[in-house]
Amino acid sequence: MDAKTWRAIRLAVEAEAAFGIDVLPKGPKIPVPVDSSTASSSLAPLNDPPISPAKVEPRAQVAPAADTLLRDASSTGKSLEDIAAAVATCEACSLCETRTKTVPGQGHAKARLMFVGEAPGYNEDQEGLAFVGPAGQLLTKMIKAMGLSRDEVFIANILKCRPPENRVPRPEEAQACFHFLLDQIDAVNPEVICALGGQAANNLLKRSDPMYQLRGKIFDFEGRQLVPTYHPSYLLRSPHEKAKAWSDLQVVMKLLALPTPKAS
Protein backbone atom coordinates (compact mmCIF):
# COMPACT_ATOMS: atom_id res chain seq x y z
CA MET A 1 0.00 0.00 0.00
CA ASP A 2 1.44 3.39 -1.01
CA ALA A 3 1.89 6.25 1.46
CA LYS A 4 -0.97 8.34 -0.01
CA THR A 5 -3.51 5.53 0.37
CA TRP A 6 -2.29 4.75 3.88
CA ARG A 7 -2.61 8.41 4.88
CA ALA A 8 -6.16 8.59 3.48
CA ILE A 9 -7.17 5.53 5.52
CA ARG A 10 -5.54 6.90 8.66
CA LEU A 11 -7.33 10.24 8.27
CA ALA A 12 -10.67 8.49 7.75
CA VAL A 13 -10.19 6.42 10.90
CA GLU A 14 -9.08 9.44 12.93
CA ALA A 15 -11.97 11.57 11.66
CA GLU A 16 -14.46 8.85 12.59
CA ALA A 17 -13.07 8.78 16.11
CA ALA A 18 -12.63 12.55 16.39
CA PHE A 19 -16.02 13.69 15.05
CA GLY A 20 -18.03 10.86 16.56
CA ILE A 21 -20.45 8.46 14.88
CA ASP A 22 -23.60 9.58 16.67
CA VAL A 23 -23.79 12.77 14.60
CA LEU A 24 -22.24 11.68 11.31
CA PRO A 25 -23.97 8.76 9.57
CA LYS A 26 -21.88 5.65 9.99
CA GLY A 27 -20.44 4.37 6.72
CA PRO A 28 -18.86 1.03 5.92
CA LYS A 29 -15.99 0.04 8.14
CA ILE A 30 -12.57 0.73 6.65
CA PRO A 31 -10.07 -2.05 7.18
CA VAL A 32 -6.86 -0.76 8.69
CA PRO A 33 -3.81 -2.80 7.69
CA VAL A 34 -1.41 -3.54 10.51
CA ASP A 35 2.28 -3.04 9.93
CA SER A 36 4.02 -5.26 12.46
CA SER A 37 7.01 -2.93 12.55
CA THR A 38 4.90 0.02 13.75
CA ALA A 39 1.90 -1.62 15.43
CA SER A 40 0.94 -0.18 18.82
CA SER A 41 -2.09 0.25 21.04
CA SER A 42 -2.89 3.62 19.45
CA LEU A 43 -2.45 5.31 16.11
CA ALA A 44 0.93 7.00 15.79
CA PRO A 45 0.82 10.67 14.80
CA LEU A 46 1.05 11.41 11.10
CA ASN A 47 4.50 12.59 10.13
CA ASP A 48 3.53 15.31 7.69
CA PRO A 49 6.11 17.74 6.35
CA PRO A 50 6.13 21.16 8.04
CA ILE A 51 3.89 23.83 6.54
CA SER A 52 5.95 26.15 4.40
CA PRO A 53 5.19 29.88 4.22
CA ALA A 54 5.49 29.47 0.45
CA LYS A 55 2.13 27.68 0.52
CA VAL A 56 0.33 30.79 1.72
CA GLU A 57 -1.66 32.31 -1.12
CA PRO A 58 -2.53 36.01 -1.19
CA ARG A 59 -6.08 37.25 -1.10
CA ALA A 60 -7.49 37.78 -4.58
CA GLN A 61 -7.08 41.30 -5.93
CA VAL A 62 -10.26 43.35 -6.26
CA ALA A 63 -10.88 46.81 -7.59
CA PRO A 64 -9.41 49.31 -5.09
CA ALA A 65 -12.64 51.28 -4.89
CA ALA A 66 -14.70 48.24 -3.88
CA ASP A 67 -12.22 47.06 -1.27
CA THR A 68 -11.96 50.59 0.13
CA LEU A 69 -15.73 50.82 0.46
CA LEU A 70 -15.80 47.61 2.49
CA ARG A 71 -13.09 48.80 4.85
CA ASP A 72 -14.51 52.33 5.12
CA ALA A 73 -17.92 50.88 6.02
CA SER A 74 -16.33 49.01 8.91
CA SER A 75 -16.19 51.01 12.13
CA THR A 76 -12.83 49.77 13.34
CA GLY A 77 -12.07 49.83 17.03
CA LYS A 78 -15.57 48.85 18.17
CA SER A 79 -16.07 46.26 20.87
CA LEU A 80 -17.91 43.01 20.22
CA GLU A 81 -20.76 44.33 22.36
CA ASP A 82 -21.01 47.48 20.21
CA ILE A 83 -21.01 45.37 17.04
CA ALA A 84 -23.75 43.08 18.37
CA ALA A 85 -25.85 46.11 19.29
CA ALA A 86 -25.45 47.53 15.78
CA VAL A 87 -26.37 44.16 14.25
CA ALA A 88 -29.53 44.02 16.38
CA THR A 89 -30.89 47.22 14.83
CA CYS A 90 -29.57 46.76 11.30
CA GLU A 91 -32.05 47.26 8.43
CA ALA A 92 -29.55 47.40 5.59
CA CYS A 93 -31.21 44.59 3.63
CA SER A 94 -34.58 42.88 3.41
CA LEU A 95 -33.57 40.06 5.78
CA CYS A 96 -34.48 42.36 8.67
CA GLU A 97 -38.12 41.81 7.71
CA THR A 98 -38.03 38.01 8.03
CA ARG A 99 -35.61 37.36 10.88
CA THR A 100 -36.67 36.27 14.36
CA LYS A 101 -33.40 37.23 16.03
CA THR A 102 -30.12 38.59 14.76
CA VAL A 103 -27.13 36.27 15.14
CA PRO A 104 -23.96 38.33 15.63
CA GLY A 105 -21.77 35.42 16.74
CA GLN A 106 -20.17 34.53 20.03
CA GLY A 107 -17.06 33.19 21.69
CA HIS A 108 -13.78 34.30 23.25
CA ALA A 109 -13.17 38.01 22.77
CA LYS A 110 -9.49 37.45 22.01
CA ALA A 111 -9.60 34.00 20.43
CA ARG A 112 -6.60 32.80 18.47
CA LEU A 113 -8.95 30.92 16.13
CA MET A 114 -12.10 32.23 14.47
CA PHE A 115 -14.63 30.12 12.56
CA VAL A 116 -16.69 31.87 9.89
CA GLY A 117 -19.74 30.23 8.33
CA GLU A 118 -22.25 31.26 5.72
CA ALA A 119 -25.43 32.32 7.50
CA PRO A 120 -27.68 31.43 10.45
CA GLY A 121 -30.16 28.58 10.09
CA TYR A 122 -33.52 27.95 11.77
CA ASN A 123 -32.15 27.10 15.22
CA GLU A 124 -29.76 30.04 15.17
CA ASP A 125 -32.56 32.40 14.11
CA GLN A 126 -34.65 31.20 17.05
CA GLU A 127 -31.90 31.45 19.67
CA GLY A 128 -29.78 34.33 18.37
CA LEU A 129 -26.62 32.22 18.63
CA ALA A 130 -24.34 30.96 15.87
CA PHE A 131 -24.04 27.22 15.15
CA VAL A 132 -26.44 25.74 17.70
CA GLY A 133 -28.38 23.35 15.43
CA PRO A 134 -27.22 19.94 14.13
CA ALA A 135 -24.36 21.54 12.19
CA GLY A 136 -23.39 23.41 15.34
CA GLN A 137 -23.33 20.17 17.32
CA LEU A 138 -20.94 18.73 14.77
CA LEU A 139 -18.80 21.88 14.85
CA THR A 140 -18.56 21.48 18.62
CA LYS A 141 -17.20 17.96 18.08
CA MET A 142 -14.74 19.23 15.49
CA ILE A 143 -13.49 21.92 17.88
CA LYS A 144 -13.20 19.39 20.69
CA ALA A 145 -11.22 17.07 18.39
CA MET A 146 -8.72 19.90 17.99
CA GLY A 147 -8.20 19.95 21.75
CA LEU A 148 -10.21 23.17 22.19
CA SER A 149 -13.64 24.18 23.46
CA ARG A 150 -16.18 26.57 21.98
CA ASP A 151 -15.35 29.02 24.77
CA GLU A 152 -11.80 29.28 23.41
CA VAL A 153 -12.73 30.19 19.83
CA PHE A 154 -14.96 32.79 18.17
CA ILE A 155 -17.77 31.68 15.86
CA ALA A 156 -19.53 33.96 13.39
CA ASN A 157 -21.15 34.05 9.96
CA ILE A 158 -20.98 36.21 6.86
CA LEU A 159 -24.67 37.07 7.33
CA LYS A 160 -26.10 38.00 10.70
CA CYS A 161 -29.71 37.19 9.76
CA ARG A 162 -31.18 33.96 8.43
CA PRO A 163 -32.09 33.90 4.72
CA PRO A 164 -35.63 32.53 4.24
CA GLU A 165 -35.67 28.74 3.90
CA ASN A 166 -31.90 28.75 4.42
CA ARG A 167 -31.30 29.78 0.83
CA VAL A 168 -27.86 30.86 -0.38
CA PRO A 169 -27.06 34.47 0.63
CA ARG A 170 -27.50 36.98 -2.15
CA PRO A 171 -24.49 39.14 -3.10
CA GLU A 172 -26.20 42.33 -1.96
CA GLU A 173 -26.98 40.76 1.43
CA ALA A 174 -23.39 39.65 1.94
CA GLN A 175 -22.18 43.09 0.86
CA ALA A 176 -24.52 44.86 3.30
CA CYS A 177 -23.48 42.63 6.22
CA PHE A 178 -19.80 42.14 5.54
CA HIS A 179 -18.58 45.19 7.46
CA PHE A 180 -19.89 43.65 10.70
CA LEU A 181 -17.65 40.63 10.18
CA LEU A 182 -14.68 42.86 9.41
CA ASP A 183 -15.36 44.70 12.67
CA GLN A 184 -15.43 41.40 14.54
CA ILE A 185 -12.18 40.24 12.98
CA ASP A 186 -10.58 43.54 13.97
CA ALA A 187 -11.93 43.24 17.53
CA VAL A 188 -10.97 39.60 18.10
CA ASN A 189 -7.75 39.76 16.05
CA PRO A 190 -7.45 35.98 15.53
CA GLU A 191 -4.23 34.42 14.29
CA VAL A 192 -6.10 31.96 12.07
CA ILE A 193 -9.52 32.09 10.41
CA CYS A 194 -11.20 28.83 9.43
CA ALA A 195 -13.76 29.45 6.68
CA LEU A 196 -16.58 26.90 6.84
CA GLY A 197 -17.87 26.25 3.34
CA GLY A 198 -17.43 27.80 -0.07
CA GLN A 199 -19.74 30.75 0.55
CA ALA A 200 -17.75 31.89 3.58
CA ALA A 201 -14.37 31.30 1.94
CA ASN A 202 -15.26 33.03 -1.32
CA ASN A 203 -16.79 36.05 0.42
CA LEU A 204 -13.69 36.48 2.56
CA LEU A 205 -11.22 35.90 -0.26
CA LYS A 206 -13.16 37.70 -3.03
CA ARG A 207 -13.16 34.58 -5.16
CA SER A 208 -15.73 32.34 -6.80
CA ASP A 209 -13.95 28.99 -6.64
CA PRO A 210 -15.39 25.56 -5.81
CA MET A 211 -14.38 24.15 -2.46
CA TYR A 212 -12.17 21.45 -3.98
CA GLN A 213 -9.97 24.23 -5.35
CA LEU A 214 -9.97 26.20 -2.08
CA ARG A 215 -9.31 23.55 0.56
CA GLY A 216 -5.84 22.18 1.13
CA LYS A 217 -4.39 25.69 0.84
CA ILE A 218 -3.52 28.47 3.26
CA PHE A 219 -4.58 31.96 2.21
CA ASP A 220 -3.61 35.39 3.47
CA PHE A 221 -6.46 37.53 4.79
CA GLU A 222 -5.21 40.97 5.80
CA GLY A 223 -2.12 39.51 7.46
CA ARG A 224 -3.93 36.54 9.00
CA GLN A 225 -3.86 32.94 7.84
CA LEU A 226 -7.12 31.61 6.43
CA VAL A 227 -7.85 27.90 5.99
CA PRO A 228 -11.03 26.85 4.12
CA THR A 229 -12.79 23.58 4.91
CA TYR A 230 -16.19 22.01 4.45
CA HIS A 231 -19.20 23.40 6.29
CA PRO A 232 -20.47 21.05 9.04
CA SER A 233 -23.89 20.89 7.37
CA TYR A 234 -22.21 19.58 4.22
CA LEU A 235 -20.39 16.95 6.26
CA LEU A 236 -23.72 15.82 7.70
CA ARG A 237 -24.94 15.25 4.15
CA SER A 238 -21.62 13.91 2.83
CA PRO A 239 -19.88 12.02 5.66
CA HIS A 240 -17.37 10.55 3.20
CA GLU A 241 -15.72 14.01 3.12
CA LYS A 242 -15.04 14.17 6.87
CA ALA A 243 -11.47 12.84 6.47
CA LYS A 244 -10.67 15.85 4.26
CA ALA A 245 -12.17 18.18 6.86
CA TRP A 246 -10.08 16.55 9.59
CA SER A 247 -6.99 17.05 7.43
CA ASP A 248 -7.88 20.76 7.12
CA LEU A 249 -8.33 21.08 10.88
CA GLN A 250 -4.93 19.49 11.40
CA VAL A 251 -3.46 22.27 9.25
CA VAL A 252 -5.12 24.82 11.53
CA MET A 253 -3.74 23.02 14.56
CA LYS A 254 -0.23 23.15 13.14
CA LEU A 255 -0.53 26.85 12.39
CA LEU A 256 -1.55 27.44 16.01
CA ALA A 257 1.09 24.98 17.29
CA LEU A 258 -1.61 22.88 18.99
CA PRO A 259 -0.74 19.29 19.91
CA THR A 260 -2.29 16.63 17.69
CA PRO A 261 -4.45 14.29 19.80
CA LYS A 262 -3.79 10.59 19.25
CA ALA A 263 -6.79 8.52 18.28
CA SER A 264 -7.15 5.37 20.35
Side-chain angles (χ1 to χ4, degrees):
M1 182 180 297
D2 60 39
K4 184 177 181 180
T5 302
W6 172 240
R7 172 176 168 77
I9 293 175
R10 292 289 295 278
L11 284 172
V13 173
E14 289 185 358
E16 187 73 20
F19 296 169
I21 59 175
D22 55 329
V23 175
L24 287 177
K26 189 173 182 179
K29 287 188 176 296
I30 302 174
V32 181
V34 177
D35 183 343
S36 59
S37 65
T38 60
S40 65
S41 59
S42 63
L43 292 176
L46 294 169
N47 295 318
D48 295 329
I51 298 171
S52 168
K55 284 188 175 181
V56 178
E57 299 196 4
R59 187 184 186 197
Q61 295 296 314
V62 297
D67 203 40
T68 300
L69 284 173
L70 285 176
R71 175 49 66 191
D72 287 347
S74 175
S75 302
T76 57
K78 285 191 174 182
S79 69
L80 291 172
E81 291 77 11
D82 290 337
I83 299 165
V87 167
T89 59
C90 179
E91 298 180 352
C93 75
S94 61
L95 294 182
C96 68
E97 301 171 3
T98 58
R99 71 192 179 205
T100 302
K101 291 183 179 180
T102 56
V103 186
Q106 73 281 343
H108 197 290
K110 293 298 177 185
R112 298 177 63 204
L113 173 60
M114 186 172 187
F115 288 94
V116 177
E118 174 182 325
Y122 172 80
N123 296 92
E124 291 75 17
D125 178 64
Q126 295 296 307
E127 297 188 34
L129 296 171
F131 282 89
V132 292
Q137 295 170 22
L138 178 53
L139 179 59
T140 299
K141 287 178 176 285
M142 294 164 69
I143 294 170
K144 184 178 179 180
M146 301 172 71
L148 299 170
S149 70
R150 285 179 64 121
D151 292 338
E152 295 176 278
V153 303
F154 195 87
I155 304 172
N157 284 296
I158 298 293
L159 296 190
K160 309 305 185 187
C161 298
R162 179 198 181 202
E165 305 303 321
N166 292 352
R167 62 163 171 74
V168 174
R170 293 170 179 163
E172 64 270 20
E173 294 166 349
Q175 175 77 11
C177 217
F178 197 61
H179 67 96
F180 290 127
L181 180 62
L182 292 179
D183 282 345
Q184 290 174 318
I185 293 172
D186 285 341
V188 177
N189 193 25
E191 297 172 34
V192 179
I193 298 172
C194 184
L196 300 171
Q199 284 288 325
N202 281 313
N203 271 284
L204 285 162
L205 296 171
K206 305 305 169 194
R207 293 173 178 254
S208 57
D209 299 336
M211 178 52 72
Y212 73 85
Q213 292 182 357
L214 292 169
R215 63 160 303 275
K217 301 175 183 177
I218 305 169
F219 295 88
D220 174 80
F221 181 81
E222 300 186 358
R224 301 173 180 88
Q225 294 168 309
L226 187 148
V227 178
T229 194
Y230 293 113
H231 195 284
S233 63
Y234 174 77
L235 294 177
L236 289 173
R237 300 190 304 271
S238 306
H240 60 282
E241 300 284 25
K242 61 188 175 182
K244 295 177 182 177
W246 179 231
S247 177
D248 298 333
L249 294 185
Q250 287 182 322
V251 171
V252 173
M253 293 162 67
K254 288 182 179 180
L255 292 175
L256 294 171
L258 298 176
T260 302
K262 292 183 180 180
S264 57

